[in-house]
Amino acid sequence: MIYVRQYQTIIVLASLLLTAVACKSPQSNTAPTVTNTATATTAVTPTTSTPAYLNPALPSAERAEDLLARMTLEEKIGQMTLIEKGSIQPTAVTDYFIGGILSGGGGYPTSSNTPAAWAEMVNSYQEAALATRLSIPLIYGVDAIHGHNNLKGATIFPHSIGLGATRNAELVQQIGRATAVETRATGIPWDYAPVIAVPQDIRWGRTYEAYGEDTALVSELGAAFIRGLQEDGLHSQTAVLATPKHFIGDGGTVWGTSTTENYTLDQGDMQIDEATLRALHLPPYEAAINAGAQSIMISFSSWNGTKMHAHQYLLTDVLKEEMGFAGFLVSDWQAIDQISPDYYQAVVTAINAGVDMNMVPYDYKGFITTMLTAVEKGDIPESRIDDAVRRILTVKFNLGLFETPYPDPAQLALIGADEHRALAQEAVSQSLVLLQNENEALPIPLDAKIFVAGSFADDIGVQSGGWTIEWQGKAGNITPGTTILAAIKATASGEVAYNKFGKFENFNPPADVGIVVLGERPYAEGRGDAADLSLSNSDIELIHRMGEQAEHVVVILLTGRPLLITDALSLADAWVVAWLPGTEGQGVADNLFGHHPFTGTLPYTWPTHIDQLPLGTAEGEPLYPFGYGLTTGSQ
Ligand code: GLC
């Protein structure tokens, strides 16, 4: 669609002439009405009159410098503004030169949650951004942390805690690439993942979003996921920009120090010395930068009382200067506002500390007005604005957004592709950790008589966990996939009876094997902070009841973290932790029946009792140490 781009180029050249005149009154910039046809590629054939920034043959840094020199202050501040899609109409994207739009957790299109509807939604914002005077494409971001997980029908991979249990960097990289393919297919080139926290207290509601408690493990798998997301090159339609998060120490906060909602750990205060911070929490960011990360999200949390979003030493002196991070720093969701009740001071502090793009996410007019005032008053130097915009534009050029602002519609067919689901199934199998296996309960003979109990056995929403379709996740049949029960029925050749209450008097007990699926209902972020990780009394009763109706009892835990099972261990022969496996429950059955060996090992220490949290602060041996896991041969 060369003619479209040239048409834009003519508009841009014409408006540049206008700018030369109107620069003194930037507010008179009027966005030309350019109708874009949403095509995959709008390449420019550079001519001598093409502005340097529109010449893809030039280095991104040179293009960014050329574009920056053409921009008004309003256009620069627009690039630093990231808005949730529900808070802005496309026309306002044009009017305010908005540089970024995101879908927050559960941010699927209001029309329908289909790949085509996602692409149409993203394209509508992009079309509005390209209608601005300089036709700067926006960058659309989403939390695709275990697949394109807000999209119904996308492949939902195991959450990172399960990937940590695989210890398999190559597998994690493959999952990163598959996630990128399904995300960019909908026109989204920016993924707010991976979490590279090093959680030290599993009572944290984001424990499952991280790979484990060990710095080296997190560094290795975080870098692998980043490489996977960006594997085919940021220009390609099968790669997305990674966003390792949340810098820094989101997993190291102290119980009870959070001041958000009724959170206790999430967004709290990390109270350690700098040497510990550098040893425990910084290496994953070094690995992420080395793996090619060009955006990093800042943490809500604080360090010894100072909000991370206000921390110039860590954001600028350490991350940007000492570590040489050349990409851009994006705030977390309205996190800047937490710095001070005085919004003006909060914005000035955060931007001067090193925040480059503000996830506002609602009141973009308030943010933009505040920024204009702060620059005009000299409280934010324009050099800081230029530094931030230069970083943002350079990444947009690296992503190829100026040449390919729209997705290739043909890619939509790859969403939920069989090859991705097969990869997810393999990841599920490798993620399972066998904690106990007495009386040769596992593997289960294919012709065994089997009872299955527990509502979680037949629930895609529960087995996917938080950040799935909805921000907090949701129990129920929320997206296509294979439940653990369905997988057991598809694999076993004998009788399989299911009763979620564990009542099988009508099925001629005893069964050879009774499988009980227990665990946690979905949650996300601080809403998952938990003082008590014990199994419920009803869970204990369910295991008891199964023990009265089956020769062998196998418990499967669907959970975002280790749970307190010490007192219940003797009630079952075998205990398997499946973490939050996602849509491909067949991977669980593959291991139960011996088609795939148990190879997973614990990414977190498994406490005997609650007093052993946070990690390393209490006496006594854990129930199972970091790295523990039994193995079984495959049949
Ligand atoms: C949330 C999370 C962050 C996420 C962002 C956008 O509050 O802290 O991980 O990327 O908002 O959804």
Side-chain angles (χ1 to χ4, degrees), residues 102-105 143 192 195 206 209 245-246 266-267 297 300 332-333 359 467 471 525:
L102 81 144
S103 279
D143 296 90
Y192 304 135
V195 169
R206 307 196 76 162
E209 291 186 63
K245 67 186 184 179
H246 311 75
D266 194 36
Q267 306 187 19
M297 187 179 294
F300 277 111
D332 204 333
W333 185 278
M359 187 187 296
W467 292 103
W471 172 45
E525 303 192 39

PDB file of all heavy atoms in Angstrom, residues 102-105 143 192 195 206 209 245-246 266-267 297 300 332-333 359 467 471 525, ligand 1:
ATOM      1  N   LEU A 102      -2.758   0.787  26.547  1.00  0.00           N
ATOM      2  CA  LEU A 102      -2.666  -0.583  27.051  1.00  0.00           C
ATOM      3  C   LEU A 102      -4.045  -1.157  27.323  1.00  0.00           C
ATOM      4  O   LEU A 102      -5.008  -0.429  27.536  1.00  0.00           O
ATOM      5  CB  LEU A 102      -1.843  -0.643  28.338  1.00  0.00           C
ATOM      6  CG  LEU A 102      -2.557  -0.272  29.651  1.00  0.00           C
ATOM      7  CD1 LEU A 102      -2.036  -1.151  30.784  1.00  0.00           C
ATOM      8  CD2 LEU A 102      -2.386   1.191  29.996  1.00  0.00           C
ATOM      9  N   SER A 103      -4.079  -2.480  27.319  1.00  0.00           N
ATOM     10  CA  SER A 103      -5.212  -3.206  27.891  1.00  0.00           C
ATOM     11  C   SER A 103      -4.748  -3.706  29.250  1.00  0.00           C
ATOM     12  O   SER A 103      -3.782  -4.476  29.329  1.00  0.00           O
ATOM     13  CB  SER A 103      -5.595  -4.402  27.018  1.00  0.00           C
ATOM     14  OG  SER A 103      -6.386  -4.008  25.915  1.00  0.00           O
ATOM     15  N   GLY A 104      -5.382  -3.237  30.310  1.00  0.00           N
ATOM     16  CA  GLY A 104      -5.044  -3.770  31.627  1.00  0.00           C
ATOM     17  C   GLY A 104      -5.556  -5.197  31.747  1.00  0.00           C
ATOM     18  O   GLY A 104      -6.135  -5.735  30.797  1.00  0.00           O
ATOM     19  N   GLY A 105      -5.356  -5.818  32.881  1.00  0.00           N
ATOM     20  CA  GLY A 105      -5.832  -7.193  33.078  1.00  0.00           C
ATOM     21  C   GLY A 105      -7.316  -7.285  32.766  1.00  0.00           C
ATOM     22  O   GLY A 105      -8.114  -6.520  33.283  1.00  0.00           O
ATOM     23  N   ASP A 143      -0.559  -7.402  29.274  1.00  0.00           N
ATOM     24  CA  ASP A 143       0.107  -8.387  30.132  1.00  0.00           C
ATOM     25  C   ASP A 143      -0.125  -9.778  29.566  1.00  0.00           C
ATOM     26  O   ASP A 143      -1.097 -10.447  29.907  1.00  0.00           O
ATOM     27  CB  ASP A 143      -0.472  -8.333  31.552  1.00  0.00           C
ATOM     28  CG  ASP A 143      -0.210  -7.009  32.212  1.00  0.00           C
ATOM     29  OD1 ASP A 143      -1.059  -6.105  32.062  1.00  0.00           O
ATOM     30  OD2 ASP A 143       0.855  -6.866  32.839  1.00  0.00           O
ATOM     31  N   TYR A 192       4.008  -6.831  28.803  1.00  0.00           N
ATOM     32  CA  TYR A 192       4.484  -6.510  30.145  1.00  0.00           C
ATOM     33  C   TYR A 192       4.862  -7.802  30.871  1.00  0.00           C
ATOM     34  O   TYR A 192       4.219  -8.227  31.810  1.00  0.00           O
ATOM     35  CB  TYR A 192       3.393  -5.766  30.917  1.00  0.00           C
ATOM     36  CG  TYR A 192       2.902  -4.522  30.216  1.00  0.00           C
ATOM     37  CD1 TYR A 192       1.547  -4.244  30.132  1.00  0.00           C
ATOM     38  CD2 TYR A 192       3.781  -3.633  29.603  1.00  0.00           C
ATOM     39  CE1 TYR A 192       1.082  -3.102  29.485  1.00  0.00           C
ATOM     40  CE2 TYR A 192       3.329  -2.497  28.952  1.00  0.00           C
ATOM     41  CZ  TYR A 192       1.979  -2.231  28.898  1.00  0.00           C
ATOM     42  OH  TYR A 192       1.526  -1.105  28.256  1.00  0.00           O
ATOM     43  N   VAL A 195       7.782 -11.224  34.749  1.00  0.00           N
ATOM     44  CA  VAL A 195       8.116 -10.830  36.116  1.00  0.00           C
ATOM     45  C   VAL A 195       9.444 -11.509  36.460  1.00  0.00           C
ATOM     46  O   VAL A 195       9.567 -12.717  36.346  1.00  0.00           O
ATOM     47  CB  VAL A 195       7.020 -11.283  37.109  1.00  0.00           C
ATOM     48  CG1 VAL A 195       7.504 -11.116  38.543  1.00  0.00           C
ATOM     49  CG2 VAL A 195       5.725 -10.519  36.907  1.00  0.00           C
ATOM     50  N   ARG A 206       1.792 -12.535  44.280  1.00  0.00           N
ATOM     51  CA  ARG A 206       2.410 -12.602  42.946  1.00  0.00           C
ATOM     52  C   ARG A 206       3.501 -13.664  42.887  1.00  0.00           C
ATOM     53  O   ARG A 206       4.258 -13.718  41.920  1.00  0.00           O
ATOM     54  CB  ARG A 206       2.956 -11.227  42.546  1.00  0.00           C
ATOM     55  CG  ARG A 206       1.929 -10.112  42.642  1.00  0.00           C
ATOM     56  CD  ARG A 206       2.300  -8.855  41.922  1.00  0.00           C
ATOM     57  NE  ARG A 206       2.128  -8.992  40.459  1.00  0.00           N
ATOM     58  CZ  ARG A 206       2.051  -7.946  39.629  1.00  0.00           C
ATOM     59  NH1 ARG A 206       2.174  -6.713  40.090  1.00  0.00           N
ATOM     60  NH2 ARG A 206       1.879  -8.128  38.337  1.00  0.00           N
ATOM     61  N   GLU A 209       3.698 -15.555  39.688  1.00  0.00           N
ATOM     62  CA  GLU A 209       4.128 -14.824  38.483  1.00  0.00           C
ATOM     63  C   GLU A 209       5.637 -14.868  38.318  1.00  0.00           C
ATOM     64  O   GLU A 209       6.150 -14.460  37.272  1.00  0.00           O
ATOM     65  CB  GLU A 209       3.670 -13.369  38.560  1.00  0.00           C
ATOM     66  CG  GLU A 209       2.165 -13.163  38.455  1.00  0.00           C
ATOM     67  CD  GLU A 209       1.819 -11.689  38.405  1.00  0.00           C
ATOM     68  OE1 GLU A 209       2.233 -11.013  37.452  1.00  0.00           O
ATOM     69  OE2 GLU A 209       1.143 -11.202  39.338  1.00  0.00           O
ATOM     70  N   LYS A 245       9.967  -7.000  34.781  1.00  0.00           N
ATOM     71  CA  LYS A 245       9.329  -6.194  35.830  1.00  0.00           C
ATOM     72  C   LYS A 245       9.348  -6.952  37.144  1.00  0.00           C
ATOM     73  O   LYS A 245       9.597  -8.165  37.148  1.00  0.00           O
ATOM     74  CB  LYS A 245       7.894  -5.833  35.416  1.00  0.00           C
ATOM     75  CG  LYS A 245       6.937  -7.026  35.335  1.00  0.00           C
ATOM     76  CD  LYS A 245       5.562  -6.637  34.784  1.00  0.00           C
ATOM     77  CE  LYS A 245       4.617  -7.818  34.821  1.00  0.00           C
ATOM     78  NZ  LYS A 245       3.280  -7.503  34.322  1.00  0.00           N
ATOM     79  N   HIS A 246       9.183  -6.234  38.297  1.00  0.00           N
ATOM     80  CA  HIS A 246       9.026  -4.799  38.458  1.00  0.00           C
ATOM     81  C   HIS A 246      10.268  -4.300  39.185  1.00  0.00           C
ATOM     82  O   HIS A 246      10.597  -4.839  40.260  1.00  0.00           O
ATOM     83  CB  HIS A 246       7.789  -4.487  39.293  1.00  0.00           C
ATOM     84  CG  HIS A 246       6.551  -5.198  38.839  1.00  0.00           C
ATOM     85  ND1 HIS A 246       6.334  -6.542  39.062  1.00  0.00           N
ATOM     86  CD2 HIS A 246       5.469  -4.766  38.157  1.00  0.00           C
ATOM     87  CE1 HIS A 246       5.157  -6.879  38.535  1.00  0.00           C
ATOM     88  NE2 HIS A 246       4.611  -5.823  37.985  1.00  0.00           N
ATOM     89  N   ASP A 266       2.225  -7.069  48.845  1.00  0.00           N
ATOM     90  CA  ASP A 266       2.334  -6.455  47.526  1.00  0.00           C
ATOM     91  C   ASP A 266       2.378  -4.935  47.644  1.00  0.00           C
ATOM     92  O   ASP A 266       1.573  -4.335  48.363  1.00  0.00           O
ATOM     93  CB  ASP A 266       1.147  -6.886  46.657  1.00  0.00           C
ATOM     94  CG  ASP A 266       1.371  -6.574  45.189  1.00  0.00           C
ATOM     95  OD1 ASP A 266       2.525  -6.698  44.744  1.00  0.00           O
ATOM     96  OD2 ASP A 266       0.422  -6.181  44.512  1.00  0.00           O
ATOM     97  N   GLN A 267       3.334  -4.336  46.956  1.00  0.00           N
ATOM     98  CA  GLN A 267       3.523  -2.885  46.960  1.00  0.00           C
ATOM     99  C   GLN A 267       4.037  -2.385  48.322  1.00  0.00           C
ATOM    100  O   GLN A 267       3.928  -1.197  48.639  1.00  0.00           O
ATOM    101  CB  GLN A 267       2.231  -2.150  46.570  1.00  0.00           C
ATOM    102  CG  GLN A 267       1.643  -2.626  45.246  1.00  0.00           C
ATOM    103  CD  GLN A 267       0.478  -1.788  44.771  1.00  0.00           C
ATOM    104  OE1 GLN A 267       0.269  -0.655  45.202  1.00  0.00           O
ATOM    105  NE2 GLN A 267      -0.293  -2.326  43.815  1.00  0.00           N
ATOM    106  N   MET A 297       9.615  -2.237  33.535  1.00  0.00           N
ATOM    107  CA  MET A 297       8.546  -1.635  34.325  1.00  0.00           C
ATOM    108  C   MET A 297       9.011  -1.490  35.769  1.00  0.00           C
ATOM    109  O   MET A 297       9.642  -2.380  36.329  1.00  0.00           O
ATOM    110  CB  MET A 297       7.264  -2.478  34.285  1.00  0.00           C
ATOM    111  CG  MET A 297       6.082  -1.794  34.949  1.00  0.00           C
ATOM    112  SD  MET A 297       4.563  -2.741  34.884  1.00  0.00           S
ATOM    113  CE  MET A 297       4.217  -2.752  33.148  1.00  0.00           C
ATOM    114  N   PHE A 300       5.869  -0.927  42.178  1.00  0.00           N
ATOM    115  CA  PHE A 300       5.071  -0.134  43.128  1.00  0.00           C
ATOM    116  C   PHE A 300       5.787  -0.027  44.474  1.00  0.00           C
ATOM    117  O   PHE A 300       5.526   0.886  45.253  1.00  0.00           O
ATOM    118  CB  PHE A 300       3.744  -0.850  43.407  1.00  0.00           C
ATOM    119  CG  PHE A 300       2.652  -0.652  42.421  1.00  0.00           C
ATOM    120  CD1 PHE A 300       2.234  -1.688  41.611  1.00  0.00           C
ATOM    121  CD2 PHE A 300       1.992   0.570  42.326  1.00  0.00           C
ATOM    122  CE1 PHE A 300       1.183  -1.535  40.720  1.00  0.00           C
ATOM    123  CE2 PHE A 300       0.934   0.742  41.441  1.00  0.00           C
ATOM    124  CZ  PHE A 300       0.526  -0.320  40.636  1.00  0.00           C
ATOM    125  N   ASP A 332       4.351   1.704  36.674  1.00  0.00           N
ATOM    126  CA  ASP A 332       3.254   0.761  36.831  1.00  0.00           C
ATOM    127  C   ASP A 332       1.952   1.574  36.932  1.00  0.00           C
ATOM    128  O   ASP A 332       1.954   2.805  36.936  1.00  0.00           O
ATOM    129  CB  ASP A 332       3.482  -0.132  38.068  1.00  0.00           C
ATOM    130  CG  ASP A 332       2.736  -1.450  37.952  1.00  0.00           C
ATOM    131  OD1 ASP A 332       1.695  -1.490  37.248  1.00  0.00           O
ATOM    132  OD2 ASP A 332       3.176  -2.436  38.540  1.00  0.00           O
ATOM    133  N   TRP A 333       0.858   0.891  37.039  1.00  0.00           N
ATOM    134  CA  TRP A 333      -0.510   1.397  36.965  1.00  0.00           C
ATOM    135  C   TRP A 333      -0.783   2.484  38.003  1.00  0.00           C
ATOM    136  O   TRP A 333      -0.937   2.196  39.186  1.00  0.00           O
ATOM    137  CB  TRP A 333      -1.455   0.220  37.171  1.00  0.00           C
ATOM    138  CG  TRP A 333      -2.894   0.495  37.010  1.00  0.00           C
ATOM    139  CD1 TRP A 333      -3.735   1.030  37.947  1.00  0.00           C
ATOM    140  CD2 TRP A 333      -3.708   0.215  35.856  1.00  0.00           C
ATOM    141  NE1 TRP A 333      -5.016   1.113  37.451  1.00  0.00           N
ATOM    142  CE2 TRP A 333      -5.034   0.612  36.181  1.00  0.00           C
ATOM    143  CE3 TRP A 333      -3.480  -0.331  34.612  1.00  0.00           C
ATOM    144  CZ2 TRP A 333      -6.094   0.488  35.283  1.00  0.00           C
ATOM    145  CZ3 TRP A 333      -4.533  -0.483  33.712  1.00  0.00           C
ATOM    146  CH2 TRP A 333      -5.807  -0.059  34.046  1.00  0.00           C
ATOM    147  N   MET A 359       2.297   5.149  32.948  1.00  0.00           N
ATOM    148  CA  MET A 359       1.034   4.412  32.805  1.00  0.00           C
ATOM    149  C   MET A 359       0.027   5.149  33.675  1.00  0.00           C
ATOM    150  O   MET A 359      -0.098   4.890  34.877  1.00  0.00           O
ATOM    151  CB  MET A 359       1.214   2.961  33.258  1.00  0.00           C
ATOM    152  CG  MET A 359       0.018   2.075  33.006  1.00  0.00           C
ATOM    153  SD  MET A 359       0.185   0.424  33.727  1.00  0.00           S
ATOM    154  CE  MET A 359       1.567  -0.224  32.813  1.00  0.00           C
ATOM    155  N   TRP A 467      -4.796 -13.533  36.094  1.00  0.00           N
ATOM    156  CA  TRP A 467      -4.314 -13.026  34.787  1.00  0.00           C
ATOM    157  C   TRP A 467      -4.767 -13.955  33.653  1.00  0.00           C
ATOM    158  O   TRP A 467      -4.002 -14.256  32.735  1.00  0.00           O
ATOM    159  CB  TRP A 467      -2.796 -12.891  34.777  1.00  0.00           C
ATOM    160  CG  TRP A 467      -2.255 -11.823  35.667  1.00  0.00           C
ATOM    161  CD1 TRP A 467      -1.656 -11.993  36.875  1.00  0.00           C
ATOM    162  CD2 TRP A 467      -2.276 -10.402  35.443  1.00  0.00           C
ATOM    163  NE1 TRP A 467      -1.290 -10.777  37.408  1.00  0.00           N
ATOM    164  CE2 TRP A 467      -1.662  -9.783  36.554  1.00  0.00           C
ATOM    165  CE3 TRP A 467      -2.741  -9.580  34.407  1.00  0.00           C
ATOM    166  CZ2 TRP A 467      -1.500  -8.394  36.668  1.00  0.00           C
ATOM    167  CZ3 TRP A 467      -2.581  -8.190  34.509  1.00  0.00           C
ATOM    168  CH2 TRP A 467      -1.971  -7.612  35.631  1.00  0.00           C
ATOM    169  N   TRP A 471      -8.590  -9.935  35.026  1.00  0.00           N
ATOM    170  CA  TRP A 471      -7.405  -9.567  35.819  1.00  0.00           C
ATOM    171  C   TRP A 471      -7.186 -10.551  36.964  1.00  0.00           C
ATOM    172  O   TRP A 471      -6.091 -11.116  37.128  1.00  0.00           O
ATOM    173  CB  TRP A 471      -7.580  -8.149  36.348  1.00  0.00           C
ATOM    174  CG  TRP A 471      -6.521  -7.716  37.336  1.00  0.00           C
ATOM    175  CD1 TRP A 471      -5.165  -7.903  37.226  1.00  0.00           C
ATOM    176  CD2 TRP A 471      -6.730  -7.022  38.573  1.00  0.00           C
ATOM    177  NE1 TRP A 471      -4.525  -7.347  38.320  1.00  0.00           N
ATOM    178  CE2 TRP A 471      -5.466  -6.807  39.159  1.00  0.00           C
ATOM    179  CE3 TRP A 471      -7.870  -6.548  39.241  1.00  0.00           C
ATOM    180  CZ2 TRP A 471      -5.309  -6.153  40.387  1.00  0.00           C
ATOM    181  CZ3 TRP A 471      -7.694  -5.888  40.460  1.00  0.00           C
ATOM    182  CH2 TRP A 471      -6.443  -5.708  41.020  1.00  0.00           C
ATOM    183  N   GLU A 525      -2.068 -10.229  42.116  1.00  0.00           N
ATOM    184  CA  GLU A 525      -1.449  -9.145  42.853  1.00  0.00           C
ATOM    185  C   GLU A 525      -1.754  -9.228  44.349  1.00  0.00           C
ATOM    186  O   GLU A 525      -1.867 -10.321  44.911  1.00  0.00           O
ATOM    187  CB  GLU A 525      -1.866  -7.803  42.235  1.00  0.00           C
ATOM    188  CG  GLU A 525      -1.491  -7.731  40.739  1.00  0.00           C
ATOM    189  CD  GLU A 525      -1.608  -6.348  40.165  1.00  0.00           C
ATOM    190  OE1 GLU A 525      -1.268  -5.361  40.841  1.00  0.00           O
ATOM    191  OE2 GLU A 525      -2.001  -6.233  39.000  1.00  0.00           O
TER     192      GLU A 525
HETATM  193  C1  GLC B   1      -0.651  -3.983  37.254  1.00  0.00           C
HETATM  194  C2  GLC B   1       0.623  -4.746  37.546  1.00  0.00           C
HETATM  195  C3  GLC B   1       1.604  -4.782  36.398  1.00  0.00           C
HETATM  196  C4  GLC B   1       0.860  -4.742  35.078  1.00  0.00           C
HETATM  197  C5  GLC B   1       0.126  -3.417  34.975  1.00  0.00           C
HETATM  198  C6  GLC B   1      -0.717  -3.317  33.702  1.00  0.00           C
HETATM  199  O1  GLC B   1      -1.023  -3.227  38.374  1.00  0.00           O
HETATM  200  O2  GLC B   1       1.340  -4.363  38.719  1.00  0.00           O
HETATM  201  O3  GLC B   1       2.390  -5.969  36.537  1.00  0.00           O
HETATM  202  O4  GLC B   1       1.778  -4.859  33.999  1.00  0.00           O
HETATM  203  O5  GLC B   1      -0.698  -3.154  36.101  1.00  0.00           O
HETATM  204  O6  GLC B   1      -1.743  -4.278  33.728  1.00  0.00           O
END
